[in-house]
Amino acid sequence: MCGIVAYVGDKQAYPILIKGLQRLEYRGYDSAGVALINNGTHTYKCMGKVKDLEAHAKEQSIEGHIGIGHTRWATHGEPNNINAHPHTSMKGKFTLVHNGIIENYAHLKKELTSRGFTFQSDTDTEVLVNLIENIYLEQNVSAEIAVRVALSKVIGAYGLVISCEDEKDKLIAARKGSPLVIGVGESEYFLASDASPIIEYTDQVIYMNDEDVAILSKDDLVLKNIQNDAQKPKIQKIDLSIDEIDKGDYEHYMLKEIYEQPHSIGDTFRGRISIDKTKIFLGGIIDVMPKLNQAKRIIIVACGTSWHAGMVGEYLFEEYARVPVEVEYASEFRYRNPVINPDDVLIAISQSGETADTLAAIKMAKEKGATIIGICNVVGSSIPRETHAGVYTHAGPEIGVASTKAFSSQVTVLTMMAFMIGRKRGSLYDELYKQLIHELTLIPEKIEIILKSDSYIKGIAELYKNASNALYLGRGYLFPVALEGALKLKEISYIHAEGYPAAEMKHGPIALIDENMPVFVLATKDKSYEKIVSNIQEVKARNGKVIAIVTEGDETIKKLADHVIEVPDCHEAIAPLLTVVPLQIISYHIAVMRGCDVDQPRNLAKSVTVE
Amino acid sequence: MCGIVAYVGDKQAYPILIKGLQRLEYRGYDSAGVALINNGTHTYKCMGKVKDLEAHAKEQSIEGHIGIGHTRWATHGEPNNINAHPHTSMKGKFTLVHNGIIENYAHLKKELTSRGFTFQSDTDTEVLVNLIENIYLEQNVSAEIAVRVALSKVIGAYGLVISCEDEKDKLIAARKGSPLVIGVGESEYFLASDASPIIEYTDQVIYMNDEDVAILSKDDLVLKNIQNDAQKPKIQKIDLSIDEIDKGDYEHYMLKEIYEQPHSIGDTFRGRISIDKTKIFLGGIIDVMPKLNQAKRIIIVACGTSWHAGMVGEYLFEEYARVPVEVEYASEFRYRNPVINPDDVLIAISQSGETADTLAAIKMAKEKGATIIGICNVVGSSIPRETHAGVYTHAGPEIGVASTKAFSSQVTVLTMMAFMIGRKRGSLYDELYKQLIHELTLIPEKIEIILKSDSYIKGIAELYKNASNALYLGRGYLFPVALEGALKLKEISYIHAEGYPAAEMKHGPIALIDENMPVFVLATKDKSYEKIVSNIQEVKARNGKVIAIVTEGDETIKKLADHVIEVPDCHEAIAPLLTVVPLQIISYHIAVMRGCDVDQPRNLAKSVTVE
């Protein structure tokens, strides 16, 4: 959350910053701002999106070869002009963009206030920039030392870039908890929260580590840590093309990413399933296979959509690998005092690889001796660097804030892991193993078939676009899909949708059902088919509207439900990969019809680096 | 779900049936009906509640010393006059009331249709009564044999009472999965789904077992099983007084039960905590203590509100007994293929002790060798009879469909178990153990203090009574309380309320927040207090309305939130018992203000004997 971009070099900074902020908007869009250093610091910032900032900065002086920019997801203080970044210190010495939360800001603010500082905004960031200025002026040290001393007093997370009026040719960056990537050009450096603002200028990057401090000028990069120990910059080549982050002909990134799924799931299993479809090989976890084979328990930690993928994983691991699995919200797991044993394996799932709570949960479990496996999408992100082993999802960049292809790729990885571990542990016999692998490889073409129903599904969306509430029901493998379907609708259309295991209806939520309530029921042919048919009857007995996702050719439910959406027949263990697609499509269309900003839903942001 | 009552003796049956049905209305109120045997069978039934039935039967012949009655929660077929019970067979030989689901009804119906049977209703019950008639007429056997043969062909669950035109002096009852109690009077027998319709006539009862068949006439009771083996009736004395099932001066049972909590929680720990408050002794689980001491894992299964209590249990057991706990929806647990080891302990929680999914989960885990402990409220119910050990909650009869005092008593039992096991396992040191016990014993008087805020809380309810949605947030021990608070509001006011772990907000649900969204935040002083304050700021930054439950004297949140409701200070481990109370009260008042039927919310019923 919150996006940072910065430039130092010979080019004009402003266009680079604006383009970069647009690419980072998925990280927050409550407000945007830039500061350009050119005979003093010129700061332009306003509430709203980057396009509002552009309008605001029009006809202003946008000259400058050094600059910093920020797009905000509000934590402390509501989204408005004053709370927008960059923030300048009281005496104007420093200008700062910051991503993260300074947890002890109230204490620091009080101290600074007693020293005569006054504050314009409600932000923790303004406290930090004044703390730096206070140290700089009182202790009469360099900007760099002031930054390092200040950061040693701070509790919390940050990715930040700061400029100093007295040292106009340089920028200082620091990270702890929030990602920062340095792009290395010729006589120029870029800085950003991820590589997307950088890739058209250079493919050489340095991922900053926690507690790293970088001092950048046009021709020089110094990397050290807060304690002033020199750090060796590790330059990597990034493998990301402009095409991958382009919307193409699609109206929204979300739609593009829904349609990419046959391809992205294919990318997830490419090179990991043998050509004769008889074996799964996940190179990233090969070193921890002995641990996995002996694990008495697997703990999956994740947040949001990734948590739903984790729940699919629970069912798969328990059924095929015969190992007990517990799925935990990372935020809950880390703050209670869970029992973790050295023979436990913890799997952390995160698209961005930066999710703050998930990262903290990993660190805790690692300290207690558990083996940690990561399932992430963004290569080089923080979580893969903290784990013992991991499997990248290779879904490609996901820009839409509501996750779609990242979810299906996470489920694909978990499915492969469950089958592979099941086979190794001897709980999955060879014939079924091969059948399941074969079924998995058919998923991309089956999703292509579902995508052909787009306009039919759009017709159903039209009927329910004005709903104010919705329920999603599923059983077994499809219960997590119900949760995920509800989350999609909630996120982008602001309809209050909620998922439930179908049998729980009778224990409360059925009270909500009346003739206005659309109920989405995941009801493909599997071992709980008869039970879900009974649940549909219970909903219909209360006059609810039922939209059922069914196996093609199902006649029983067609007679009961108001609408059916067919998906191709498949083994129940991989049905989540198919059944989630029509739910993504229907959420997309409903949100578009309601005039919502599909790719940038209100209040939300991707890559949740805030706890 | 569904309530059955029947009488055979010298008294007039009708008033006994009506009064009995009123007592059983918590089990369903979609329709009601009676059949009186008196020179033929006179059946009166209609959609709606028992009072509608009374109006309907007015000025009809209500004579008869034998009769059966039913109050329905609809499963197959919408709630209407035709689908109401009793159902009579096509040729009029049999009249049946039934609680449960005949799962193979479609198959049986097809077979009967091919034999010329026609059906009036959409119910599975009408299929069963015709199946019995078909066997009776075709095989020329007694009514009892026809019933037993028919039941051997049935897949599903039933509690039933049936009368036969040719054997007018008797009733036949049978049970499998759905409870039935026989009341033994002098020259009279009563039959009901629970003891409440019986207690003013006799305190001598027989709890029927699964597959039992009872043949009752005024002076004779024969008990056998479906296979025709004689069963020995075990007559028990019941300990339940009319006062306990009376509403007293309260406007609703729910309000009475909220106010009973200081008393009911006291009853839960009475005799289980030593007088000097230094020891917990739970006699019901003493035999399985060695298993609990060695358990590598505890699995908690439950549904609805009991599932929320189970989640509180998870946090308590992990923290104080240091044993990994998994909490499962019974309905999900039983249908997937979970890993269960003989050294696992399964705890099943159910107020009624009859919850069908929970009962099935127990049976499955028992087969796999796990040790089963029950936490139930209704003495003599099915679950306690299936478990190896158990602890009754002793909350007294809970009549309001939305559970309140049963929840707090379940949490009390789990709290005592966690402390006791923690002490035995050595993971809870003696000083803290005693402190925790002491704190627990203070809960009743602290709840009394909260109850004094009733009118203040009512004032807040007034402000939000027109909300169409609400969110409930909590962390740690208070996350399950957030779920429970949301469920209460949902159940009785039909406002779509949803609970979340506070940190999950940013992963989706925060998109729902605008100036119309009340957000209830559980924010008492505990180890995640600072984090929940940050979450409140995030909600306020989006203009949501925050109603916070805080520790008395909290000044920080008072400044941030729109309203605060104070609860007395207590140890965080027992805070669920306090913080749930204001949420119960606010739900109650909002529902009353919206004109909802608080004790009998639409679509719902207590004692979910349907899967």
Side-chain angles (χ1 to χ4, degrees), chain B residues 273-388:
Chain B
I273 291 178
S274 64
I275 293 166
D276 61 358
K277 298 177 187 175
T278 60
K279 274 196 203 70
I280 293 169
F281 179 79
L282 296 169
I285 55 167
I286 214 70
D287 291 345
V288 295
M289 274 311 290
K291 283 276 184 189
L292 272 166
N293 285 341
Q294 285 149 32
K296 298 247 166 27
R297 188 166 67 129
I298 293 174
I299 304 163
I300 299 179
V301 295
C303 302
T305 287
S306 303
W307 186 79
H308 299 156
M311 289 188 68
V312 177
E314 176 182 20
Y315 284 72
L316 288 163
F317 281 111
E318 295 221 345
E319 176 130 18
Y320 295 105
R322 304 305 296 155
V323 52
V325 178
E326 190 160 355
V327 188
E328 298 259 3
Y329 290 111
S331 62
E332 287 294 305
F333 182 73
R334 61 177 287 210
Y335 288 115
R336 63 194 181 88
N337 186 6
V339 183
I340 301 169
N341 299 310
D343 55 0
D344 288 339
V345 172
L346 183 138
I347 300 176
I349 311 173
S350 164
Q351 188 281 128
S352 67
E354 299 292 348
T355 314
D357 281 321
T358 308
L359 197 52
I362 288 175
K363 288 178 183 167
M364 185 185 71
K366 224 163 120 179
E367 273 172 27
K368 297 194 178 187
T371 302
I372 318 288
I373 298 173
I375 299 178
C376 297
N377 194 38
V378 178
V379 176
S381 54
S382 299
I383 289 176
R385 288 190 282 161
E386 284 288 339
T387 55
H388 297 111

Side-chain angles (χ1 to χ4, degrees), chain A residues 557-576:
Chain A
I557 295 177
K558 198 174 268 174
K559 283 180 203 138
L560 294 171
D562 296 272
H563 314 275
V564 296
I565 301 172
E566 295 190 344
V567 298
D569 194 18
C570 75
H571 192 283
E572 64 173 9
I574 52 177

